[in-house]
Amino acid sequence: MTGRSLALVALALVVRPTPVCALTAEVKPLHGSPTIFVDGKPQTPLMFFGWATDAGPTRIALAPAWRQYHVTFTAPEDNKGNCGVHIRVGSAAGTIWVDDAQFHEGPFRSWCADNRLLCGDWESDRPTADAAWTLFVKEEVGAKAGWEFDTESTHAGKQSCRITISKPGSAAMHVHLYQTGLTVKKGKRYTFSVWLKADKDREAEIQALHHGPPWRIYSGSEDSPTFEEFRLAAGAGVHMHSFGIPMPWPRPGEAPDFSGVDRAIEQVLRADPKALLLPRFGCDPPGWWYELHPDEALQFDDGTRRPVCVASMVWRKELPGHLRRLVEHCEAKYGDHMLGYHPCAQHTGEWFYPKTWEARHCGFSPAMRRGFAAWLKEKYGTVEVLRSAWSRTDASFDRIDVPTVRQRAEASHGLFRDPARERWVVDFFEYLQVAMVEPLELIAPVIKAATQRRKLVVFFYGYLFEISGLPLGPQTSGHLKLARLLGHPDVDIVCSPISYLDRGLGGIGAFMVPVDSVRAAGKLWLNEDDTRTYLTPKNAGYGRVETPQQTAWVHQRDFGRLLPRRLACWYMDLGGTGWLGGQDIWDNVAALRAIYDRHLTEPATWSPEVAVIVDEESPAYLACNRTIMSPLLSGIRQQLYRMGAPFGIYLLGDFVNGRVPPAKVILFLGCFHMTPNVREAIARQLPGRTAVWFYGSGYLSDRASTDQMSDLIGMRLREVTDPTVAMAKVTEATKPLTQGLSGVSFGSNQKLRPIWAVEPAPELETIARFGDQSIAVAAVKKDGDRSVYIGTVTAPAGLLRNTLRTGGVHVWIDTDDVLLTDGSFLCIEASAAGKKVVHLPSTRRILDLPSRKEVAQRAERIEVTLARGETRLYWLEDARSSNE
């Protein structure tokens, strides 16, 4: 059964009417920018992501000093006399003191007059205390403990309870002090608090619960760090929330259990009654499913299996029914709060193949082989066509195999595959992408049908820049069918985290994806901003910032990516431990939201003079390594974002089809494979512009050819026999393109095979040379067109800046700082401390943001001294006349 057939099956599962509440969410254009509309009104797309936490024990850290701890919860049921409280301390030997325990209705108070606990202050005799409190010791696991009154160490009063553990159990619950007999009423809030200390630092747990069958923990969810973050976000005007929920996948004949779904959703609604919900959930089947279907799991080159193989037709047939039931449940019960749905699977739920960062190859399972064969049959139709395409007389749809690890690692032309002789390997890597995107095309219509097309569909996908750093190359990822996904009418939002490359203080905060192609397709792009704030652990890594001020600067820089393009974002507590738990963080977000609110309904003016063009089809023609793509697409972002001018990022197909707005300078990155039609379309669009061609541009078509590269870039190239000359050096810095770059070296320390040098010519401007003095980087200008060839896999920001300037682009800043602007909004972040000068294209009135305080009435430049990582936001307006 093909993916198309399965889509029809999925739609058949959802044709019956489903109760849907009135709320309608959709993405549609607002002055040309894809925008979220809720009940017909445009919304500022800033959100919060937090892990909604199930009720459970609250972990606490005890110390040798007295401290008060508490849990607050909303009772999920009526419980007359069987509500209890636990203090769990049994995981280590030692001494713990307990005093002034309280239980009362309402939010936390440090002291209450209506304490419902008996002997909570321990000011009694032993029989009275024993009647009120029980010390449970699980002796069958070896635990030994007892308690006594202590008159020497108390929080208040004359005595406290001292618990001595001579032998611990293996868990905190193996020694716990509890009291029951309490009554709670459904929907009311209650607080349990207690003063505790220990002879040394140790962990413990406290909780409130239904004490006795059916055991049910009440506390925990409202005391989780993310519960407070939901509240803080709501206080900042952020009511769109994403969070995790389970998707029930019961055994055949069993009913789905939605209790976990309900608990998560109701926790968010308790924190923010105005919440608009965009839950994330996994689509992988449970463990028992793999026992029934072992051939449907993904298989790796080391023999390991799991998770599900996305080519599995068994999984694809079962998934829509489980998905439909989940969506119907949410719509029927919470439909007036449901904004949309975010299905996830594979590596960290982001729809790329697991273990790709571990340099493991996948696709060896029977399910993948069957899927590959079916796809080839659909693509080629007959065995004769297949054999001709593969140049293999023995090829047959009945005997399709997948490439071995060695066949994936090697290539006929150094780092490049021969388009004819290795077509079958190229086909396999294309199918890896198809196999991943087909389930998304299956899922989206199910959600749309189950919600009567009233809710949003969101996917992670398209991480071309980020996955170019994979050890075995982006072709192993499954993420190279973004253009196809963007063409699907049921997909509303595409998202990814902010790049993990150089994302910290003074860093670039780059996109993983060609976001302007997403925008051009009418889809909304969403950044997942999981900044490691000052509230994260010291070892959180990935650009962790140290202070509240640094956190604000990084969030401001990241916001600078959003407004000009009218993009979306959720601020994420990835760890679920309070990363965003500071009021100062949400005060800053509220200020940023106010800026977005002010300009939401204004037409975006995003039309940069520079376009970066990338290709998601070319990686299939590369050997499996990171030699080319890691520096050329992933690493080069550190230079692109510091070249002093804004730029759009598009797929090659959009440029060929005329969907890229006019730009003065076009940079082609990783565009190795081009058909004759693509070359002709590019040639038609380049007159009057500057084209910058990086290593390998146009080397492949139906064959590998240096001549077709030369024809494309307008310079004669020759293949260099020495493969060790991938570093280029600027030897003369007196020309416009090399100004300020004397002696600068750049390139790759890896061997690039093949590698090309530019043949000398009278009209040629030499920019840099390889170590053998052959020309590595050069430019030629003819009839108003300029062509620049960079024969290695990166270039310094200074060279790119010079290239932009000579191409007629307005360069806003001459230093390697991070700047983004649409001509009205301007964001600058200092990569290094010092004085910064921003050159404006015309005289402007300058307003500081978010205050909107006037900085200058008529100015042609902004001069400001910044600390490293400091970010400033400005609004630029037409300058006032002198008599205004």
Side-chain angles (χ1 to χ4, degrees):
M1 187 178 290
T2 65
R4 186 178 296 108
S5 300
L6 278 170
L8 295 175
V9 171
L11 287 174
L13 290 170
V14 292
V15 292
R16 71 177 186 270
T18 301
V20 179
C21 294
L23 186 147
T24 298
E26 55 190 329
V27 169
K28 60 183 182 179
L30 178 63
H31 303 302
S33 297
T35 304
I36 295 176
F37 283 75
V38 175
D39 291 336
K41 298 179 181 179
Q43 306 292 314
T44 293
L46 301 185
M47 313 178 190
F48 168 63
F49 184 102
W51 297 104
T53 306
D54 235 349
T58 297
R59 294 178 182 176
I60 57 177
L62 306 187
W66 285 103
R67 180 181 169 187
Q68 189 177 29
Y69 304 86
H70 78 275
V71 290
T72 298
F73 64 95
T74 300
E77 61 186 357
D78 290 332
N79 182 344
K80 187 174 182 179
N82 285 320
C83 176
V85 295
H86 280 198
I87 304 166
R88 297 178 163 191
V89 293
S91 58
T95 305
I96 302 96
W97 287 263
V98 184
D99 206 354
D100 293 325
Q102 302 179 115
F103 187 91
H104 61 84
E105 184 178 329
F108 168 69
R109 304 191 299 272
S110 60
W111 180 85
C112 66
D114 54 345
N115 186 11
R116 300 186 184 184
L117 290 176
L118 301 176
C119 193
D121 58 5
W122 300 88
E123 305 295 324
S124 68
D125 56 26
R126 182 70 187 236
T128 302
D130 282 336
W133 293 96
T134 299
L135 183 66
F136 171 85
V137 181
K138 191 160 184 156
E139 294 179 350
E140 55 264 44
V141 298
K144 292 185 178 181
W147 80 269
E148 300 291 340
F149 287 118
D150 191 319
T151 59
E152 299 294 327
S153 181
T154 68
H155 165 252
K158 296 180 180 179
Q159 58 189 25
S160 65
C161 168
R162 182 180 69 237
I163 301 172
T164 302
I165 302 174
S166 55
K167 288 188 178 181
S170 57
M173 68 172 295
H174 291 160
V175 177
H176 64 264
L177 188 69
Y178 72 87
Q179 183 173 147
T180 188
L182 301 166
T183 294
V184 296
K185 293 184 178 181
K186 183 178 180 178
K188 290 194 173 184
R189 298 185 76 203
Y190 299 88
T191 297
F192 166 51
S193 65
V194 62
W195 285 86
L196 298 166
K197 77 168 191 171
D199 58 343
K200 57 186 176 181
D201 292 349
R202 63 182 294 142
E203 291 187 351
E205 296 174 352
I206 57 174
Q207 65 181 17
L209 71 162
H210 185 291
H211 204 278
W215 295 88
R216 183 178 184 182
I217 299 173
Y218 294 157
S219 64
S221 62
E222 292 186 25
D223 299 289
S224 69
T226 50
F227 186 84
E228 180 60 21
E229 289 168 324
F230 285 120
R231 291 176 182 265
L232 288 169
V238 174
H239 296 290
M240 295 182 187
H241 302 297
S242 187
F243 53 98
I245 62 173
M247 183 175 76
W249 193 302
R251 292 178 183 269
E254 295 181 355
D257 179 5
F258 292 109
S259 59
V261 175
D262 293 342
R263 286 195 297 269
I265 290 177
E266 288 166 9
Q267 181 195 17
V268 179
L269 292 177
R270 285 196 300 273
D272 180 8
K274 296 181 180 179
L276 299 176
L277 308 175
L278 183 60
R280 175 189 301 192
F281 51 89
C283 295
D284 290 320
W288 60 260
W289 188 90
Y290 295 95
E291 296 174 7
L292 296 179
H293 309 290
D295 288 348
E296 307 304 312
L298 195 64
Q299 183 173 328
F300 296 89
D301 55 11
D302 61 358
T304 58
R305 296 190 175 192
R306 297 280 183 97
V308 68
C309 175
V310 287
S312 166
M313 291 300 167
V314 178
W315 172 68
R316 292 188 189 186
K317 188 175 181 179
E318 293 183 21
L319 173 61
H322 299 300
L323 174 60
R324 171 183 54 79
R325 285 187 284 271
L326 172 65
V327 174
E328 286 179 351
H329 173 83
C330 293
E331 290 298 314
K333 197 166 184 179
Y334 310 103
D336 54 346
H337 288 279
M338 301 306 300
L339 187 69
Y341 299 87
H342 185 185
C344 298
Q346 301 295 290
H347 181 86
T348 58
E350 295 173 78
W351 295 107
F352 65 93
Y353 291 107
K355 298 192 177 185
T356 47
W357 285 109
E358 302 170 29
R360 298 251 71 101
H361 285 287
C362 74
F364 297 95
S365 68
M368 186 67 80
R369 295 169 194 264
R370 289 192 296 267
F372 185 33
W375 177 77
L376 290 169
K377 175 72 172 177
E378 187 174 354
K379 178 177 181 177
Y380 290 112
T382 68
V383 171
E384 291 73 23
V385 176
L386 175 70
R387 290 173 177 175
S388 175
W390 282 12
S391 301
R392 287 174 54 178
T393 58
D394 63 338
S396 169
F397 297 123
D398 298 329
R399 298 191 301 273
I400 293 298
D401 206 346
V402 299
T404 65
V405 170
R406 182 173 179 178
Q407 288 165 334
R408 301 180 195 196
E410 297 176 349
S412 298
H413 298 283
L415 296 169
F416 297 91
R417 300 196 185 280
D418 187 287
R421 287 186 293 163
E422 295 176 274
R423 168 58 56 186
W424 77 286
V425 182
V426 173
D427 276 347
F428 173 74
F429 281 115
E430 182 181 357
Y431 178 67
L432 280 185
Q433 323 309 313
V434 171
M436 188 66 78
V437 81
E438 282 182 341
L440 309 188
E441 296 169 332
L442 177 71
I443 287 169
V446 174
I447 295 172
K448 286 297 185 181
T451 64
Q452 298 179 9
R453 304 196 67 79
R454 294 189 178 196
K455 303 300 164 72
L456 303 176
V457 176
V458 183
F459 290 117
F460 288 119
Y461 199 73
Y463 302 7
L464 178 57
F465 286 96
E466 201 75 3
I467 60 174
S468 290
L470 289 173
L472 300 177
Q475 64 269 39
T476 63
S477 68
H479 263 228
L480 301 182
K481 285 293 178 184
L482 178 62
R484 174 168 165 169
L485 185 67
L486 295 179
H488 199 290
D490 295 337
V491 176
D492 299 297
I493 298 175
V494 187
C495 61
S496 83
I498 294 170
S499 172
Y500 291 101
L501 172 76
D502 195 18
R503 59 149 53 183
L505 190 70
I508 57 177
F511 293 113
M512 291 187 177
V513 176
V515 291
D516 293 293
S517 278
V518 178
R519 191 169 181 267
K523 312 299 184 184
L524 180 63
W525 177 257
L526 186 148
N527 262 356
E528 180 175 276
D529 192 336
D530 55 340
T531 294
R532 274 60 172 170
T533 73
Y534 72 96
L535 295 175
T536 60
K538 294 288 186 182
N539 62 351
Y542 296 111
R544 181 188 185 273
V545 291
E546 297 288 339
T547 67
Q549 179 63 80
Q550 291 176 359
T551 301
W553 286 341
V554 169
H555 279 159
Q556 288 164 1
R557 177 205 65 202
D558 296 344
F559 177 80
R561 300 269 175 268
L562 307 177
L563 186 63
R565 294 173 166 102
R566 303 297 191 267
L567 305 180
C569 169
W570 58 52
Y571 297 95
M572 185 186 203
D573 177 0
L574 177 60
T577 57
W579 290 14
L580 299 171
Q583 183 64 54
D584 58 301
I585 291 175
W586 289 102
D587 288 345
N588 183 48
V589 171
L592 299 176
R593 176 184 167 83
I595 297 172
Y596 209 134
D597 286 346
R598 183 183 182 94
H599 301 288
L600 173 64
T601 58
E602 299 174 359
T605 58
W606 178 248
S607 185
E609 297 180 301
V610 183
V612 172
I613 307 299
V614 295
D615 183 31
E616 60 180 355
E617 297 180 6
S618 289
Y621 292 85
L622 299 178
C624 287
N625 56 58
R626 60 167 26 130
T627 305
I628 297 176
M629 295 299 286
S630 183
L632 185 55
L633 259 72
S634 182
I636 201 172
R637 289 175 294 175
Q638 292 181 299
Q639 310 304 321
L640 295 174
Y641 284 79
R642 292 185 169 97
M643 64 184 178
F647 57 95
I649 318 170
Y650 292 90
L651 292 170
L652 177 61
D654 286 325
F655 184 77
V656 168
N657 293 315
R659 290 192 288 266
V660 176
K664 295 178 179 178
V665 175
I666 317 293
L667 286 76
F668 293 90
L669 301 176
C671 301
F672 311 120
H673 183 264
M674 298 181 183
T675 66
N677 289 340
V678 167
R679 294 167 193 268
E680 291 173 8
I682 291 173
R684 287 195 299 269
Q685 296 197 52
L686 289 183
R689 304 181 181 187
T690 294
V692 182
W693 309 96
F694 277 80
Y695 170 83
S697 294
Y699 177 52
L700 305 175
S701 184
D702 57 348
R703 58 194 174 90
S705 169
T706 299
D707 288 341
Q708 61 193 7
M709 284 183 68
S710 299
D711 293 341
L712 177 71
I713 70 173
M715 305 176 209
R716 301 316 303 169
L717 301 176
R718 63 177 175 85
E719 189 172 331
V720 178
T721 56
D722 181 1
T724 65
V725 291
M727 291 296 296
K729 184 176 183 179
V730 177
T731 56
E732 184 180 346
T734 60
K735 300 176 181 178
L737 284 171
T738 57
Q739 195 167 29
L741 299 174
S742 179
V744 171
S745 295
F746 57 95
S748 173
N749 290 319
Q750 299 291 315
K751 291 183 178 181
L752 300 181
R753 296 180 295 115
I755 193 166
W756 299 271
V758 182
E759 294 279 27
E763 68 277 13
L764 205 68
E765 180 180 349
T766 300
I767 298 171
R769 295 180 182 272
F770 290 127
D772 64 356
Q773 297 306 301
S774 62
I775 300 173
V777 183
V780 63
K781 189 172 183 180
K782 187 183 299 182
D783 299 328
D785 309 341
R786 185 187 296 271
S787 182
V788 179
Y789 176 68
I790 299 176
T792 187
V793 287
T794 189
L799 174 58
L800 298 175
R801 192 156 47 242
N802 290 345
T803 303
L804 302 188
R805 188 178 283 111
T806 58
V809 173
H810 177 75
V811 174
W812 291 74
I813 191 166
D814 293 320
T815 49
D816 289 355
D817 298 291
V818 180
L819 179 143
L820 190 136
T821 182
D822 58 4
S824 296
F825 174 80
L826 187 145
C827 171
I828 178 175
E829 179 208 33
S831 295
K835 182 179 179 180
K836 314 298 175 184
V837 180
V838 179
H839 306 280
L840 307 180
S842 61
T843 303
R844 302 290 180 89
R845 180 187 180 214
I846 304 170
L847 303 177
D848 175 74
L849 293 178
S851 69
R852 293 192 64 82
K853 179 180 178 181
E854 186 176 80
V855 175
Q857 192 175 108
R858 297 177 60 85
E860 296 180 349
R861 57 201 286 160
I862 299 172
E863 296 188 16
V864 60
T865 299
L866 302 177
R868 177 178 174 271
E870 185 172 357
T871 301
R872 294 289 181 91
L873 308 178
Y874 298 99
W875 193 261
L876 309 178
E877 297 180 345
D878 291 337
R880 297 176 179 177
S881 62
S882 57
N883 58 0
E884 184 177 347

